Amino acid sequence: MAETILTEKTKPKRNIRWWPGFSILLVAVLAIVLVRAQTDWPFQRRNLTSARIIAATVIALLIWWTFLSRASNRLRLGITFGFVGALIVAALLFRVRGVTGDLLPILEYRWTKQSADIIPPKTFANASAAQLTRSVTNDFPQFRGPNRDGVLPGPRLETNWMAHPPQIIWRQKVGGAWSGFSVVGDICLTQEQQSENECVVARDLTSGKELWRHADKAHYNTTIAGEGPRATPTVVSNRVFTFGATGILNCFDLSSGKMLWSRDLIKLSGGKMPDWGVAGSPLCVDGLVIVHGGKGAKNSLHAFRAEDGQPVWSGGLMNSDYASPSFAILAGAPQILAFNSGAISGHDPKTGATLWQLPWGSGNVACASPVVVSDNQVLFSSAYGFGAELVEISRTNSEFAATVLWKSIRMKAKFSHMFARGGFLYGLDDGIFACVDLRDGSQRWKEGRYGHGQGLAVGDLYLLMAESGELILLWPTPDASNELARFRIFDSKTWNPIALAGDLLLVRNDREAACLRLSPSSK
């Protein structure tokens, strides 16, 4: 009997086995719906879990289609290799420039230039000489303003931006950084990355013209964390103190930019580079400059004499994190507040000795500044599902005690900063604006998805730079957020703190900087 040879054409046709593919898709959709419904999970956790489900689904579908679908060889292999080829082409065309605050990837073409060119600022034609004169001469000399708390008494701002919109005075390309601006007199300063150099740049406030620049051979850059410095310059008298992402602490003359002294904190502390770069802005107290040291160092806080940079003390035994050190008077005692990995603590400004300490978090990153609520209460908050704690500091003779009054998951500040007013706490709870009652930590409201941006309380208003690059004006009360106006400034991710000097607002992200004039209120 002759043997029959079956070819692709003579083989009996079999129907494609669709049910495994549909089952995989159905399970994936149900899993993603379940993950998105976990409202107590941080957005980052929901996004990461969803991404893992999608990746596993794609792999499972490829295996099913290639080996188990019963489709013809030409169809199976054509679609499989076509899909793989499309992924290769996409990888050749695009790269991940960074991530959002919720860890969603940001794509750009591979030929896009990442570092900004040093070019003159663009001054806008509608910026007349009168507009370039500040109506109030307030300085903004450090991170989060004169009192380092993100709260300004004024000026009174116009709330009708349809009739009186913010006016862009100048706009400038800048190098990568998450630093903010400091303003003293007619000089504004920030830090930025230019190629392999970490730079401190001073500009004329009303024109954006560069006055002086200092460059250190240093470069921090990761896909997730971004590129360049993270800290904001601190200005005291005629001295500028800056802290780079690789741990270089510098002191300059404000007028000339001449370097007066420099210290390498990573080497001095005996630690190593933190995973997300050195991020704390220098704190100046009683002639000392205080900063955090390196990861894994023996001490977390280090103080230097502002005059000449000589070390004065080192204190704090916990591993330093990313929140800037701050100053407060609690229970009648001046102290440096340290928000570290695994602990919160208060320290003697003269010696660095630990006055009190409490455990913090569950290994989550700490970035947001503490909020002093009263003369003996301070609030700390961090994201990644942990929340906030209100701590009361008491004192008996020379002994201090710290007690947690309440803990709430209703305010989870990632790296934006909160403010307190009238017995209520306001801030971005995992990217959504929220109000918490300081009596018990209960949430009054949560509305407005602005992402992980930065803001300033100005009088009874709140200026919020959303992560999207849009400037938002709000009038927050215990009853509602009361959004009043919006003004688009940037079209890319904006994490940098903002600065307001009189009626001039300084804003920037890792690509551009701009100076805007905010109209004063006529009422």
Side-chain angles (χ1 to χ4, degrees):
M1 184 174 181
E3 182 178 352
T4 302
I5 300 176
L6 296 178
T7 65
E8 185 71 26
K9 292 183 178 180
T10 60
K11 285 181 183 178
K13 289 186 177 180
R14 296 183 297 177
N15 293 329
I16 296 176
R17 184 192 287 139
W18 290 108
W19 68 263
F22 289 133
S23 299
I24 292 169
L25 284 173
L26 179 61
V27 170
V29 169
L30 291 175
I32 291 175
V33 169
L34 181 63
V35 167
R36 306 314 294 185
Q38 304 304 310
T39 55
D40 286 339
W41 287 13
F43 282 104
Q44 177 172 310
R45 182 180 177 186
R46 281 182 265 175
N47 291 338
L48 280 174
T49 306
S50 299
R52 293 188 183 107
I53 293 171
I54 292 171
T57 301
V58 170
I59 293 172
L61 287 173
L62 277 176
I63 293 173
W64 157 71
W65 178 256
T66 306
F67 302 105
L68 303 173
S69 67
R70 291 181 179 173
S72 66
N73 289 341
R74 179 178 298 178
L75 184 60
R76 284 188 301 111
L77 297 180
I79 290 180
T80 298
F81 284 113
F83 180 77
V84 173
L87 290 180
I88 294 173
V89 171
L92 293 173
L93 290 176
F94 299 96
R95 64 186 171 203
V96 178
R97 184 178 186 274
V99 297
T100 68
D102 294 325
L103 218 59
L104 294 174
I106 299 171
L107 301 178
E108 70 175 5
Y109 290 113
R110 286 191 172 274
W111 54 82
T112 302
K113 187 174 179 60
Q114 289 187 297
S115 297
D117 297 324
I118 303 175
I119 61 173
K122 180 180 179 182
T123 302
F124 286 75
N126 62 351
S128 66
Q131 292 172 339
L132 297 179
T133 303
R134 286 188 289 166
S135 62
V136 183
T137 57
N138 303 37
D139 288 334
F140 198 96
Q142 62 177 327
F143 176 61
R144 306 190 68 215
N147 298 319
R148 210 175 172 91
D149 58 2
V151 177
L152 304 176
R156 292 181 59 85
L157 299 176
E158 174 62 59
T159 59
N160 185 354
W161 285 4
M162 293 294 291
H164 307 280
Q167 297 174 319
I168 297 179
I169 304 301
W170 55 262
R171 197 179 192 109
Q172 167 73 64
K173 283 189 176 182
V174 293
W178 302 125
S179 304
F181 276 98
S182 295
V183 182
V184 173
D186 292 323
I187 300 177
C188 59
L189 305 106
T190 191
Q191 295 173 253
E192 58 190 76
Q193 192 73 37
Q194 292 287 350
S195 187
E196 295 303 311
N197 293 319
E198 198 173 64
C199 300
V200 180
V201 184
R203 292 183 172 88
D204 179 80
L205 174 63
T206 56
S207 69
K209 179 182 178 181
E210 186 174 311
L211 301 176
W212 57 261
R213 169 185 297 258
H214 172 85
D216 285 312
K217 193 73 173 178
H219 193 184
Y220 174 86
N221 187 19
T222 66
T223 299
I224 294 180
E227 182 181 30
R230 278 93 173 86
T232 298
T234 301
V235 185
V236 177
S237 186
N238 198 45
R239 298 200 169 201
V240 180
F241 302 94
T242 63
F243 203 21
T246 62
I248 299 175
L249 177 65
N250 287 332
C251 175
F252 305 97
D253 177 83
L254 173 63
S255 302
S256 65
K258 176 185 177 182
M259 176 180 280
L260 303 178
W261 55 262
S262 181
R263 298 288 180 266
D264 188 330
L265 260 292
I266 301 298
K267 291 182 179 179
L268 286 174
S269 69
K272 60 181 181 179
M273 275 279 295
D275 297 336
W276 302 85
V278 176
S281 299
L283 170 67
C284 292
V285 177
D286 295 333
L288 299 179
V289 183
I290 302 166
V291 293
H292 284 299
K295 180 180 178 181
K298 180 181 178 181
N299 298 112
S300 58
L301 284 174
H302 301 267
F304 300 86
R305 200 160 61 194
E307 181 182 357
D308 54 15
Q310 290 301 308
V312 177
W313 56 255
S314 295
L317 300 178
M318 299 302 294
N319 194 24
S320 62
D321 225 3
Y322 305 98
S324 299
S326 55
F327 175 80
I329 299 178
L330 296 170
Q335 47 195 277
I336 307 301
L337 297 177
F339 195 2
N340 292 320
S341 177
I344 52 179
S345 53
H347 300 264
D348 187 330
K350 295 181 179 179
T351 65
T354 301
L355 303 177
W356 58 269
Q357 182 171 293
L358 286 174
W360 179 268
S362 54
N364 55 301
V365 174
C367 301
S369 295
V371 179
V372 176
V373 173
S374 69
D375 58 6
N376 67 340
Q377 294 179 354
V378 58
L379 183 137
F380 296 82
S381 176
S382 62
Y384 307 98
F386 189 76
E389 291 182 357
L390 182 64
V391 179
E392 184 174 79
I393 309 301
S394 58
R395 179 183 183 185
T396 304
N397 298 323
S398 60
E399 296 296 320
F400 289 81
T403 304
V404 177
L405 299 181
W406 53 255
K407 182 182 185 304
S408 171
I409 64 169
R410 301 306 175 190
M411 182 60 74
K412 301 174 290 296
K414 193 166 189 178
F415 45 77
S416 57
H417 306 281
M418 308 155 289
F419 71 98
R421 176 191 293 154
F424 296 91
L425 179 74
Y426 301 90
L428 290 171
D429 174 28
D430 204 16
I432 301 177
F433 201 41
C435 173
V436 167
D437 194 322
L438 284 169
R439 291 173 297 184
D440 56 11
S442 61
Q443 190 175 86
R444 293 296 297 263
W445 49 259
K446 182 176 179 179
E447 54 192 42
R449 180 85 176 103
Y450 300 112
H452 301 276
Q454 302 284 358
L456 288 173
V458 184
D460 59 352
L461 301 175
Y462 188 62
L463 279 171
L464 174 62
M465 175 60 76
E467 184 176 359
S468 63
E470 197 169 19
L471 184 65
I472 315 291
L473 182 66
L474 303 111
W475 175 46
T477 70
D479 298 319
S481 62
N482 299 312
E483 182 180 311
L484 303 177
R486 289 174 174 247
F487 185 80
R488 170 67 64 181
I489 301 176
F490 303 126
D491 292 316
S492 58
K493 179 178 70 180
T494 303
W495 284 348
N496 307 60
I498 62 179
L500 182 64
D503 55 3
L504 294 187
L505 181 70
L506 278 297
V507 295
R508 63 159 297 179
N509 58 18
D510 62 336
R511 292 181 169 185
E512 295 179 89
C515 175
L516 294 83
R517 182 178 185 270
L518 304 180
S519 298
S521 174
S522 57
K523 297 179 182 179

